[in-house]
Amino acid sequence: MHKARLFYRLLLHARTTPLASTPGQALAPPPPATEASFRAPIIASPKAYAALTSPIGERMAKILSLGSAETAPKCLACHALDVPQNLRGRTFELSEGVSCESCHGPAAGWLGPHTERDWTHQKSLALGMYDTRELTRRTEKCLSCHLGNDEKSVDHEMIAAGHPDLFFELDTFSDVMPRHWKVPGEPGEAPGTDPWYNVRELTTGQAVQLRQSLLRLAGRSHGKVWPEYSELQCYACHHDLTPPEQSWRQARGYPGRRPGNPPWNPSRYTVFHDVVQQMDGENAEKLDAELARLAQLMSQLNPDRDAVAASATISAHLADELMAKISSTSYDPAITLHLLQKISADAENISAQGEHSAAQAAMAVQSLFLAYDQNEKLQNSAQLREAIKGLFQQLQNPSAYDPARFASQMKQVNALLR
């Protein structure tokens, strides 16, 4: 997972300072073609398109029998703004990759005026801009590529061909993008706006990610290929082989499943579990119970399609109900610190869930720390930064991941928060 390692290094170096502006490798989906003219983007991510022309991109296309990667609709769906020829403006360049219109929609009506001094966001929305300020809609837009949907997704076949597995955390991914927006609480924004916006961004993003992943699973359960192995823990199978006495997996055992059956990937619930336990314990228990059932269903060699679809749909509805409460919560120093302490105290459970869960926890702890430190100024801030960097260092080689070392590092973070 070379690209995953690169991204973890990016986070390690870029996000140890609040409001970092180092560009990330974020992708974005094409907008609906409702306007008659697409114009050249102001901000673009040509790296997304360049990945298609790389030797690995071309090799993937060959393995998948797609022809050329830079012309294959399957690739262009997320690596560029791929719209019909009759909707492309005079300055349109496919090689611009992921551009402003990929995320914000057709810009013919608002692109020019939205830079004027007295122009408002509401005016842009009225002229067709997609509302990325609303966190649920922003997450849905991001996840249409960073997770996928019924129309486009990264499946096990694509991963086998060389595509990196996908992971996502809204606040982290937003922070490593080139900043071209303001958030509540910043100078120039209305007085009294949300100084804990980044915490809301994290928790809302976690809720939407879980819901969307469950809906995707429900859809895939009735797809042409089943089981879809990308729904499982990649490194349960794809890891370095070691002598039995050095295997942490065998030392831990295989609770809840038959040895040899690859487990379901629970990483999109890892952090959200701790969030909802704090916000709504009763409904959190319901979601816990249903997801435990889903995990048992999915951790079989041939999961029952109908049972998986039913359980995933029920879980998605429960996540949706919790999302409404979480998105309306008034966040403050006490809630933020408690979330930091709760997630970092869950070290043993999180680390045992595998590499992807550990990555979600590391990103969440970093986001919460940055939000808290920016508003409250922790006295041991420098020590915490180093301890959190240590979490990402444990993720540089996922195949060599050791849950005991990750849990130990997480406990160091927790001790510094007491």
Side-chain angles (χ1 to χ4, degrees), residues 29-208:
T34 56
E35 295 284 343
S37 174
F38 283 78
R39 299 179 62 183
I42 300 173
I43 296 173
S45 179
K47 290 182 180 179
Y49 182 84
L52 304 181
T53 64
S54 70
I56 292 177
E58 293 293 353
R59 185 177 68 188
M60 284 178 56
K62 182 178 180 181
I63 292 171
L64 297 170
S65 301
L66 297 176
S68 174
E70 57 263 39
T71 60
K74 187 180 184 73
C75 303
L76 293 174
C78 285
H79 283 261
L81 182 64
D82 187 25
V83 295
Q85 289 287 343
N86 66 311
L87 295 179
R88 300 182 181 187
R90 181 176 54 83
T91 58
F92 180 90
E93 288 289 344
L94 189 67
S95 61
E96 291 282 2
V98 178
S99 69
C100 58
E101 290 170 303
S102 298
C103 301
H104 299 292
W110 51 263
L111 183 62
H114 94 290
T115 61
E116 297 173 2
R117 181 181 298 275
D118 296 327
W119 191 261
T120 66
H121 181 60
Q122 292 302 319
K123 290 181 180 178
S124 293
L125 296 182
L127 292 174
M129 177 185 278
Y130 186 90
D131 189 6
T132 54
R133 286 195 179 186
E134 203 286 308
L135 290 176
T136 299
R137 298 200 71 205
R138 184 201 303 178
T139 311
E140 290 171 346
K141 175 65 76 172
C142 295
L143 288 174
S144 65
C145 274
H146 285 283
L147 173 70
N149 51 38
D150 291 341
E151 298 176 357
K152 53 189 178 182
S153 67
V154 173
D155 56 17
H156 192 251
E157 182 183 24
M158 290 184 69
I159 294 171
H163 197 290
D165 193 14
L166 300 179
F167 59 96
F168 180 77
E169 194 281 292
L170 179 63
D171 183 54
T172 300
F173 276 54
S174 296
D175 201 59
V176 296
M177 285 184 66
R179 282 291 300 275
H180 55 286
W181 66 89
K182 291 182 178 180
V183 300
E186 284 192 348
E189 291 292 286
T193 50
D194 191 359
W196 299 96
Y197 177 83
N198 294 88
V199 182
R200 186 181 312 283
E201 192 172 43
L202 166 75
T203 57
T204 302
Q206 289 289 324
V208 178

Side-chain angles (χ1 to χ4, degrees), residues 12-25:
L12 180 64
H13 294 296
R15 287 221 71 204
T16 49
T17 302
L19 304 180
S21 58
T22 306
Q25 292 179 308

Side-chain angles (χ1 to χ4, degrees), residues 110-416:
W110 51 263
L111 183 62
H114 94 290
T115 61
E116 297 173 2
R117 181 181 298 275
D118 296 327
W119 191 261
T120 66
H121 181 60
Q122 292 302 319
K123 290 181 180 178
S124 293
L125 296 182
L127 292 174
M129 177 185 278
Y130 186 90
D131 189 6
T132 54
R133 286 195 179 186
E134 203 286 308
L135 290 176
T136 299
R137 298 200 71 205
R138 184 201 303 178
T139 311
E140 290 171 346
K141 175 65 76 172
C142 295
L143 288 174
S144 65
C145 274
H146 285 283
L147 173 70
N149 51 38
D150 291 341
E151 298 176 357
K152 53 189 178 182
S153 67
V154 173
D155 56 17
H156 192 251
E157 182 183 24
M158 290 184 69
I159 294 171
H163 197 290
D165 193 14
L166 300 179
F167 59 96
F168 180 77
E169 194 281 292
L170 179 63
D171 183 54
T172 300
F173 276 54
S174 296
D175 201 59
V176 296
M177 285 184 66
R179 282 291 300 275
H180 55 286
W181 66 89
K182 291 182 178 180
V183 300
E186 284 192 348
E189 291 292 286
T193 50
D194 191 359
W196 299 96
Y197 177 83
N198 294 88
V199 182
R200 186 181 312 283
E201 192 172 43
L202 166 75
T203 57
T204 302
Q206 289 289 324
V208 178
Q209 178 176 201
L210 176 63
R211 183 195 65 185
Q212 296 302 105
S213 69
L214 291 165
L215 292 174
R216 183 190 68 174
L217 174 57
R220 281 178 162 180
S221 68
H222 292 297
K224 183 168 59 175
V225 176
W226 184 254
E228 170 48 56
Y229 293 134
S230 64
E231 296 286 348
L232 308 177
Q233 289 188 38
C234 296
Y235 299 109
C237 297
H238 300 286
H239 60 80
D240 291 341
L241 297 179
T242 61
E245 61 271 15
Q246 297 177 15
S247 172
W248 63 263
R249 291 175 175 86
Q250 291 169 343
R252 176 199 61 190
Y254 305 95
R257 62 187 173 96
R258 171 184 169 273
N261 287 7
W264 180 56
N265 175 14
S267 64
R268 295 182 177 91
Y269 187 50
T270 300
V271 171
F272 191 57
H273 164 79
D274 289 326
V275 172
V276 297
Q277 285 288 342
Q278 178 170 329
M279 304 293 182
D280 190 341
E282 182 178 350
N283 283 318
E285 290 181 5
K286 294 179 183 178
L287 183 57
D288 274 347
E290 191 59 48
L291 286 175
R293 178 171 179 269
L294 179 61
Q296 282 193 325
L297 290 167
M298 284 298 297
S299 300
Q300 300 175 15
L301 287 180
N302 188 21
D304 184 285
R305 290 174 181 257
D306 292 335
V308 166
S311 182
T313 301
I314 291 171
S315 299
H317 288 320
L318 289 169
D320 198 50
E321 291 173 4
L322 286 162
M323 183 174 67
K325 184 168 186 176
I326 285 170
S327 62
S328 62
T329 295
S330 296
Y331 293 95
D332 57 28
I335 290 176
T336 304
L337 181 60
H338 187 70
L339 276 175
L340 256 176
Q341 292 170 336
K342 188 172 182 62
I343 294 169
S344 58
D346 200 17
E348 296 288 351
N349 176 52
I350 289 171
S351 63
Q353 292 181 41
E355 297 82 345
H356 284 71
S357 292
Q360 283 291 319
M363 289 187 285
V365 165
Q366 182 172 239
S367 292
L368 291 167
F369 161 71
L370 290 176
Y372 192 86
D373 192 49
Q374 184 174 331
N375 286 289
E376 296 295 308
K377 304 301 179 187
L378 288 158
Q379 290 185 346
N380 60 347
S381 175
Q383 290 175 282
L384 271 164
R385 288 175 189 273
E386 288 303 310
I388 293 169
K389 283 173 67 176
L391 294 176
F392 289 97
Q393 288 166 349
Q394 298 293 327
L395 302 169
Q396 296 307 300
N397 181 3
S399 186
Y401 170 77
D402 186 325
R405 289 201 297 265
F406 185 86
S408 176
Q409 189 66 33
M410 185 75 94
K411 289 174 183 176
Q412 289 185 38
V413 174
N414 184 260
L416 291 168

